[in-house]
Amino acid sequence: MNIVTSPDSVLPLALRAMERTPNPRLRELIASLTRHLHTFVQETRLTEEEFEQALEFIVAIGQATGDKKNEVVLAADILGVSTLVALQNNQDPEGESPSALLGPFWRANAPMCDRGDTIARSGTPGTPLTVSGTVRDPQGRPLADAVVDVWQASPVGLYENQDPAQEDMNLRGRFRTDVEGRFHFRTVRPAGYPVPTDGPCGVLPRAQQRHPNRPAHLHFMVSKPGHKVLVSQVFADDDENLESDPTFGVTRRLIGRFELQPDGRSATLAYDFQLEPGEMKFPRPPIP
Ligand SMILES: [Fe+2]
């Protein structure tokens, strides 16, 4: 009889029950997940109380997710899973991946802007920053009409959706590259910011004695039909938290040079992107 006889007999029975899943990828994913979960429970000798806490945590991150934030994405980020998925699926033949985790703050449909426009719509005070770059294909040819979608935190470290002092869509915008694949825009230098710690995910960094502060960065999503959508982040090279990003997003390649200008009060950042051929598929926005 195929019934449970001991703790060790549960996993084979569970796997057998899933064998008929017609979709082969779903069968593979759930079977592997089940194996890893069972191994985890056995290896750690998970107690009933701990199991209850784990389930409560999953319920809580779902319940805390809404229009303003996404604690489920945040949980994946602070466990390093989002970075792993981003890097694993965007290998660069030359070495380091050009991509980074999407994070919980991307909003679709940021305003389309003209090249050179500022995305500091609220007159946000801060160090003026000019960002420029070129989008190319893997052969180094410039890609005209690529869309460069940018979003960033303010100089006090808040995204507009977290901050009533900022206008809707402040520090967000989309730019189209010119015939030579170039884009440029104006903004203010972003500050590093703590990942939200007021929700259920805040428990972890506190318990693990990890600081929650991400190094200052700009988010980019670069797209053009016929090419894979590139989701990336560019980090400020002078940030003290480059080596302790709570979401593990920093790679050497993603560190940009924020150059102070001779006037001593404004800065520039030059950063180029490369798009691989493929399907233009956008991620689902974590917040509306
Ligand atoms: Fe961010």
Side-chain angles (χ1 to χ4, degrees):
M1 269 168 83
N2 284 327
I3 56 170
V4 170
T5 53
S6 66
D8 285 345
S9 69
V10 183
L11 178 61
L13 281 176
L15 292 176
R16 200 165 317 136
M18 300 169 185
E19 264 170 13
R20 282 195 308 276
T21 310
N23 181 324
R25 182 60 174 160
L26 182 67
R27 186 167 66 230
E28 180 190 0
L29 290 175
I30 303 299
S32 174
L33 179 66
T34 306
R35 267 196 305 273
H36 281 89
L37 283 173
H38 280 248
T39 307
F40 161 74
V41 170
Q42 289 181 307
E43 199 178 276
T44 59
R45 313 283 314 166
L46 194 74
T47 66
E48 287 163 310
E49 199 190 346
E50 290 161 347
F51 181 48
E52 210 171 71
Q53 279 177 8
L55 296 180
E56 279 168 4
F57 177 73
I58 293 172
V59 171
I61 57 178
Q63 287 174 338
T65 294
D67 285 1
K68 297 290 172 195
K69 68 171 173 175
N70 191 320
E71 287 268 331
V72 180
V73 171
L74 184 57
D77 291 355
I78 62 175
L79 293 175
V81 175
S82 306
T83 291
L84 177 60
V85 173
L87 298 190
Q88 180 170 278
N89 285 283
N90 297 277
Q91 285 293 334
D92 187 316
E94 287 148 32
E96 254 184 74
S97 171
S99 80
L101 66 159
L102 177 68
F105 294 116
W106 178 58
R107 291 178 67 188
N109 304 317
M112 280 306 304
C113 308
D114 290 328
R115 282 183 290 278
D117 275 358
T118 182
I119 57 170
R121 292 170 223 292
S122 303
T124 316
T127 304
L129 174 69
T130 304
V131 181
S132 62
T134 302
V135 181
R136 297 190 177 88
D137 71 7
Q139 283 73 43
R141 291 175 300 216
L143 289 174
D145 277 327
V147 172
V148 178
D149 187 344
V150 58
W151 67 105
Q152 64 165 85
S154 72
V156 296
L158 290 171
Y159 287 85
E160 49 85 26
N161 51 293
Q162 301 175 298
D163 182 5
Q166 295 181 52
E167 241 177 73
D168 188 44
M169 291 288 180
N170 189 40
L171 301 176
R172 298 175 186 269
R174 289 182 293 166
F175 296 83
R176 218 171 262 288
T177 56
D178 67 13
V179 286
E180 289 172 84
R182 293 175 308 195
F183 65 91
H184 73 283
F185 61 90
R186 289 171 300 129
T187 182
V188 284
R189 269 197 71 148
Y193 61 85
V195 294
T197 53
D198 56 343
C201 284
V203 171
L204 274 186
R206 272 194 297 278
Q208 296 167 337
Q209 302 191 332
R210 291 161 64 184
H211 75 72
N213 301 316
R214 298 212 65 204
H217 57 274
L218 293 129
H219 291 264
F220 289 96
M221 186 181 296
V222 188
S223 60
K224 178 176 164 108
H227 297 78
K228 259 193 101 171
V229 174
L230 173 63
V231 176
S232 195
Q233 299 181 29
V234 179
F235 297 89
D237 53 347
D238 56 359
D239 198 289
E240 58 180 6
N241 293 320
L242 281 178
E243 291 179 26
S244 56
D245 179 8
T247 71
F248 313 100
V250 183
T251 69
R252 212 174 281 280
R253 175 167 175 168
L254 299 180
I255 299 173
R257 240 180 111 203
F258 284 63
E259 261 183 286
L260 193 66
Q261 293 308 287
D263 64 13
R265 49 169 300 276
S266 64
T268 58
L269 166 69
Y271 198 89
D272 295 343
F273 297 100
Q274 190 178 300
L275 293 188
E276 304 288 326
E279 192 193 347
M280 185 175 74
K281 214 172 151 214
F282 291 96
R284 222 187 292 269
I287 50 171

Short mmCIF file of all heavy atoms in Angstrom, two decimals, residues 135-172:
data_model
loop_
_atom_site.label_atom_id
_atom_site.label_comp_id
_atom_site.label_asym_id
_atom_site.label_seq_id
_atom_site.Cartn_x
_atom_site.Cartn_y
_atom_site.Cartn_z
N VAL A 135 23.26 53.02 -26.66
CA VAL A 135 22.76 51.65 -26.66
C VAL A 135 23.24 50.99 -27.95
O VAL A 135 23.06 51.55 -29.04
CB VAL A 135 21.22 51.63 -26.57
CG1 VAL A 135 20.71 50.19 -26.54
CG2 VAL A 135 20.73 52.39 -25.34
N ARG A 136 23.85 49.82 -27.81
CA ARG A 136 24.40 49.13 -28.98
C ARG A 136 23.93 47.68 -29.04
O ARG A 136 23.45 47.14 -28.04
CB ARG A 136 25.94 49.15 -28.92
CG ARG A 136 26.55 50.53 -28.98
CD ARG A 136 28.07 50.43 -29.17
NE ARG A 136 28.66 51.76 -29.28
CZ ARG A 136 29.06 52.50 -28.25
NH1 ARG A 136 28.95 52.02 -27.03
NH2 ARG A 136 29.59 53.69 -28.45
N ASP A 137 24.14 47.06 -30.20
CA ASP A 137 23.88 45.63 -30.32
C ASP A 137 25.19 44.88 -30.00
O ASP A 137 26.23 45.53 -29.77
CB ASP A 137 23.30 45.29 -31.70
CG ASP A 137 24.31 45.42 -32.82
OD1 ASP A 137 25.52 45.64 -32.55
OD2 ASP A 137 23.91 45.30 -34.00
N PRO A 138 25.17 43.56 -29.95
CA PRO A 138 26.39 42.84 -29.56
C PRO A 138 27.57 43.06 -30.51
O PRO A 138 28.72 42.84 -30.15
CB PRO A 138 25.95 41.36 -29.58
CG PRO A 138 24.48 41.40 -29.39
CD PRO A 138 24.01 42.66 -30.06
N GLN A 139 27.28 43.51 -31.74
CA GLN A 139 28.38 43.80 -32.67
C GLN A 139 28.90 45.23 -32.50
O GLN A 139 29.76 45.68 -33.25
CB GLN A 139 27.91 43.62 -34.13
CG GLN A 139 27.80 42.17 -34.57
CD GLN A 139 26.61 41.46 -33.93
OE1 GLN A 139 25.52 42.01 -33.84
NE2 GLN A 139 26.83 40.25 -33.42
N GLY A 140 28.32 45.94 -31.55
CA GLY A 140 28.78 47.30 -31.29
C GLY A 140 28.10 48.35 -32.16
O GLY A 140 28.46 49.52 -32.12
N ARG A 141 27.11 47.91 -32.93
CA ARG A 141 26.40 48.88 -33.77
C ARG A 141 25.36 49.63 -32.93
O ARG A 141 24.65 49.01 -32.13
CB ARG A 141 25.69 48.18 -34.93
CG ARG A 141 26.65 47.61 -35.96
CD ARG A 141 25.90 46.82 -37.00
NE ARG A 141 25.17 45.71 -36.39
CZ ARG A 141 25.01 44.51 -36.97
NH1 ARG A 141 25.51 44.28 -38.16
NH2 ARG A 141 24.33 43.56 -36.36
N PRO A 142 25.26 50.95 -33.11
CA PRO A 142 24.30 51.72 -32.32
C PRO A 142 22.86 51.32 -32.63
O PRO A 142 22.54 51.01 -33.77
CB PRO A 142 24.56 53.17 -32.74
CG PRO A 142 25.33 53.10 -34.02
CD PRO A 142 26.05 51.78 -34.03
N LEU A 143 22.04 51.32 -31.62
CA LEU A 143 20.63 50.98 -31.79
C LEU A 143 19.78 52.26 -31.66
O LEU A 143 19.65 52.81 -30.57
CB LEU A 143 20.18 49.95 -30.76
CG LEU A 143 20.72 48.53 -30.94
CD1 LEU A 143 20.32 47.64 -29.77
CD2 LEU A 143 20.22 47.93 -32.26
N ALA A 144 19.24 52.71 -32.78
CA ALA A 144 18.35 53.88 -32.76
C ALA A 144 16.98 53.46 -32.25
O ALA A 144 16.60 52.30 -32.36
CB ALA A 144 18.23 54.45 -34.17
N ASP A 145 16.25 54.42 -31.69
CA ASP A 145 14.87 54.18 -31.24
C ASP A 145 14.73 53.14 -30.14
O ASP A 145 13.66 52.55 -29.99
CB ASP A 145 13.98 53.75 -32.43
CG ASP A 145 13.50 54.97 -33.21
OD1 ASP A 145 13.30 56.02 -32.57
OD2 ASP A 145 13.37 54.86 -34.44
N ALA A 146 15.80 52.88 -29.41
CA ALA A 146 15.66 52.04 -28.22
C ALA A 146 15.07 52.92 -27.12
O ALA A 146 15.28 54.13 -27.10
CB ALA A 146 17.03 51.51 -27.78
N VAL A 147 14.29 52.32 -26.24
CA VAL A 147 13.69 53.09 -25.14
C VAL A 147 14.48 52.84 -23.86
O VAL A 147 14.69 51.69 -23.47
CB VAL A 147 12.20 52.73 -24.96
CG1 VAL A 147 11.64 53.39 -23.71
CG2 VAL A 147 11.40 53.16 -26.19
N VAL A 148 14.95 53.93 -23.25
CA VAL A 148 15.68 53.85 -21.99
C VAL A 148 14.75 54.36 -20.90
O VAL A 148 14.44 55.54 -20.83
CB VAL A 148 16.96 54.71 -22.06
CG1 VAL A 148 17.71 54.67 -20.73
CG2 VAL A 148 17.87 54.24 -23.19
N ASP A 149 14.26 53.43 -20.08
CA ASP A 149 13.33 53.76 -19.00
C ASP A 149 14.18 53.87 -17.73
O ASP A 149 14.92 52.94 -17.39
CB ASP A 149 12.31 52.61 -18.89
CG ASP A 149 11.18 52.90 -17.91
OD1 ASP A 149 11.30 53.83 -17.09
OD2 ASP A 149 10.17 52.16 -17.96
N VAL A 150 14.09 55.01 -17.05
CA VAL A 150 14.92 55.20 -15.86
C VAL A 150 14.02 55.52 -14.65
O VAL A 150 13.00 56.19 -14.80
CB VAL A 150 15.96 56.32 -16.10
CG1 VAL A 150 15.30 57.64 -16.47
CG2 VAL A 150 16.88 56.51 -14.91
N TRP A 151 14.39 55.01 -13.50
CA TRP A 151 13.72 55.40 -12.25
C TRP A 151 14.73 55.38 -11.12
O TRP A 151 15.69 54.61 -11.14
CB TRP A 151 12.49 54.54 -11.95
CG TRP A 151 12.71 53.09 -11.62
CD1 TRP A 151 12.63 52.50 -10.40
CD2 TRP A 151 13.00 52.02 -12.56
NE1 TRP A 151 12.85 51.14 -10.50
CE2 TRP A 151 13.07 50.82 -11.80
CE3 TRP A 151 13.20 51.95 -13.94
CZ2 TRP A 151 13.34 49.58 -12.39
CZ3 TRP A 151 13.48 50.71 -14.53
CH2 TRP A 151 13.54 49.55 -13.75
N GLN A 152 14.54 56.26 -10.17
CA GLN A 152 15.53 56.39 -9.10
C GLN A 152 14.91 57.00 -7.85
O GLN A 152 13.85 57.61 -7.88
CB GLN A 152 16.67 57.30 -9.58
CG GLN A 152 16.21 58.73 -9.86
CD GLN A 152 17.35 59.72 -9.98
OE1 GLN A 152 17.92 59.87 -11.05
NE2 GLN A 152 17.66 60.41 -8.89
N ALA A 153 15.64 56.84 -6.75
CA ALA A 153 15.23 57.47 -5.49
C ALA A 153 15.73 58.92 -5.50
O ALA A 153 16.64 59.28 -6.24
CB ALA A 153 15.83 56.72 -4.31
N SER A 154 15.13 59.74 -4.66
CA SER A 154 15.48 61.15 -4.56
C SER A 154 16.77 61.31 -3.75
O SER A 154 17.29 60.34 -3.19
CB SER A 154 14.36 61.89 -3.83
OG SER A 154 14.39 61.53 -2.46
N PRO A 155 17.28 62.56 -3.66
CA PRO A 155 18.49 62.78 -2.84
C PRO A 155 18.27 62.53 -1.34
O PRO A 155 19.23 62.53 -0.57
CB PRO A 155 18.84 64.24 -3.11
CG PRO A 155 18.24 64.52 -4.45
CD PRO A 155 16.98 63.73 -4.49
N VAL A 156 17.02 62.32 -0.91
CA VAL A 156 16.84 61.86 0.47
C VAL A 156 16.51 60.37 0.53
O VAL A 156 16.15 59.84 1.59
CB VAL A 156 15.77 62.69 1.25
CG1 VAL A 156 16.21 64.13 1.39
CG2 VAL A 156 14.41 62.61 0.59
N GLY A 157 16.62 59.71 -0.62
CA GLY A 157 16.50 58.25 -0.60
C GLY A 157 15.09 57.71 -0.65
O GLY A 157 14.83 56.62 -0.15
N LEU A 158 14.16 58.49 -1.25
CA LEU A 158 12.78 58.00 -1.34
C LEU A 158 12.29 58.01 -2.79
O LEU A 158 12.54 58.97 -3.53
CB LEU A 158 11.84 58.88 -0.50
CG LEU A 158 11.97 58.79 1.02
CD1 LEU A 158 11.14 59.89 1.68
CD2 LEU A 158 11.52 57.42 1.52
N TYR A 159 11.61 56.95 -3.19
CA TYR A 159 10.94 56.94 -4.50
C TYR A 159 9.66 57.76 -4.36
O TYR A 159 9.10 57.89 -3.27
CB TYR A 159 10.63 55.51 -4.92
CG TYR A 159 11.87 54.75 -5.34
CD1 TYR A 159 12.69 54.12 -4.40
CD2 TYR A 159 12.28 54.73 -6.67
CE1 TYR A 159 13.85 53.47 -4.78
CE2 TYR A 159 13.44 54.07 -7.05
CZ TYR A 159 14.22 53.44 -6.11
OH TYR A 159 15.37 52.80 -6.48
N GLU A 160 9.20 58.33 -5.51
CA GLU A 160 8.05 59.24 -5.43
C GLU A 160 6.82 58.59 -4.79
O GLU A 160 6.08 59.26 -4.10
CB GLU A 160 7.70 59.82 -6.81
CG GLU A 160 7.58 58.83 -7.97
CD GLU A 160 6.24 58.16 -8.12
OE1 GLU A 160 5.23 58.76 -7.70
OE2 GLU A 160 6.20 57.04 -8.67
N ASN A 161 6.66 57.28 -5.00
CA ASN A 161 5.47 56.64 -4.46
C ASN A 161 5.56 56.43 -2.95
O ASN A 161 4.59 56.05 -2.31
CB ASN A 161 5.24 55.28 -5.15
CG ASN A 161 6.46 54.42 -5.17
OD1 ASN A 161 7.45 54.74 -5.82
ND2 ASN A 161 6.44 53.34 -4.41
N GLN A 162 6.75 56.72 -2.38
CA GLN A 162 6.90 56.59 -0.92
C GLN A 162 6.85 57.95 -0.25
O GLN A 162 6.98 58.03 0.97
CB GLN A 162 8.28 55.99 -0.58
CG GLN A 162 8.57 54.64 -1.15
CD GLN A 162 10.02 54.24 -0.84
OE1 GLN A 162 10.96 54.90 -1.26
NE2 GLN A 162 10.16 53.17 -0.08
N ASP A 163 6.76 59.02 -1.05
CA ASP A 163 7.06 60.36 -0.53
C ASP A 163 6.00 61.36 -0.99
O ASP A 163 5.97 61.73 -2.17
CB ASP A 163 8.44 60.76 -1.07
CG ASP A 163 8.89 62.12 -0.57
OD1 ASP A 163 8.19 62.72 0.25
OD2 ASP A 163 9.96 62.57 -1.03
N PRO A 164 5.14 61.82 -0.08
CA PRO A 164 4.09 62.75 -0.48
C PRO A 164 4.63 64.09 -0.98
O PRO A 164 3.91 64.82 -1.68
CB PRO A 164 3.28 62.97 0.82
CG PRO A 164 3.91 62.16 1.88
CD PRO A 164 5.10 61.45 1.35
N ALA A 165 5.91 64.40 -0.69
CA ALA A 165 6.48 65.68 -1.14
C ALA A 165 6.84 65.65 -2.62
O ALA A 165 7.14 66.69 -3.21
CB ALA A 165 7.71 66.02 -0.31
N GLN A 166 6.84 64.47 -3.23
CA GLN A 166 7.21 64.39 -4.65
C GLN A 166 5.97 64.21 -5.51
O GLN A 166 5.04 63.52 -5.14
CB GLN A 166 8.16 63.20 -4.89
CG GLN A 166 9.50 63.31 -4.21
CD GLN A 166 10.39 62.10 -4.53
OE1 GLN A 166 10.58 61.74 -5.68
NE2 GLN A 166 10.90 61.47 -3.49
N GLU A 167 6.05 64.85 -6.70
CA GLU A 167 4.98 64.70 -7.68
C GLU A 167 4.89 63.27 -8.16
O GLU A 167 5.88 62.55 -8.13
CB GLU A 167 5.36 65.56 -8.89
CG GLU A 167 4.41 66.66 -9.23
CD GLU A 167 4.97 67.47 -10.40
OE1 GLU A 167 4.94 66.95 -11.53
OE2 GLU A 167 5.43 68.59 -10.15
N ASP A 168 3.72 62.91 -8.67
CA ASP A 168 3.55 61.60 -9.30
C ASP A 168 4.58 61.46 -10.42
O ASP A 168 4.81 62.40 -11.19
CB ASP A 168 2.12 61.52 -9.88
CG ASP A 168 1.79 60.12 -10.38
OD1 ASP A 168 2.11 59.15 -9.67
OD2 ASP A 168 1.21 60.01 -11.47
N MET A 169 5.23 60.33 -10.50
CA MET A 169 6.21 60.03 -11.55
C MET A 169 7.47 60.89 -11.48
O MET A 169 8.23 60.95 -12.45
CB MET A 169 5.59 60.13 -12.96
CG MET A 169 4.57 59.05 -13.26
SD MET A 169 5.37 57.43 -13.49
CE MET A 169 3.93 56.38 -13.81
N ASN A 170 7.69 61.56 -10.35
CA ASN A 170 8.96 62.29 -10.19
C ASN A 170 10.12 61.29 -10.26
O ASN A 170 10.04 60.18 -9.73
CB ASN A 170 8.98 63.01 -8.84
CG ASN A 170 10.16 63.97 -8.72
OD1 ASN A 170 10.51 64.66 -9.67
ND2 ASN A 170 10.78 64.01 -7.54
N LEU A 171 11.21 61.71 -10.89
CA LEU A 171 12.43 60.90 -11.02
C LEU A 171 12.20 59.58 -11.75
O LEU A 171 12.82 58.56 -11.47
CB LEU A 171 13.08 60.68 -9.64
CG LEU A 171 13.46 61.98 -8.91
CD1 LEU A 171 14.01 61.68 -7.53
CD2 LEU A 171 14.47 62.80 -9.72
N ARG A 172 11.25 59.66 -12.68
CA ARG A 172 10.99 58.53 -13.58
C ARG A 172 10.80 59.10 -14.98
O ARG A 172 10.21 60.17 -15.13
CB ARG A 172 9.70 57.79 -13.21
CG ARG A 172 9.69 57.16 -11.82
CD ARG A 172 8.32 56.56 -11.53
NE ARG A 172 8.22 56.08 -10.16
CZ ARG A 172 8.53 54.83 -9.79
NH1 ARG A 172 8.93 53.95 -10.69
NH2 ARG A 172 8.42 54.46 -8.53
#
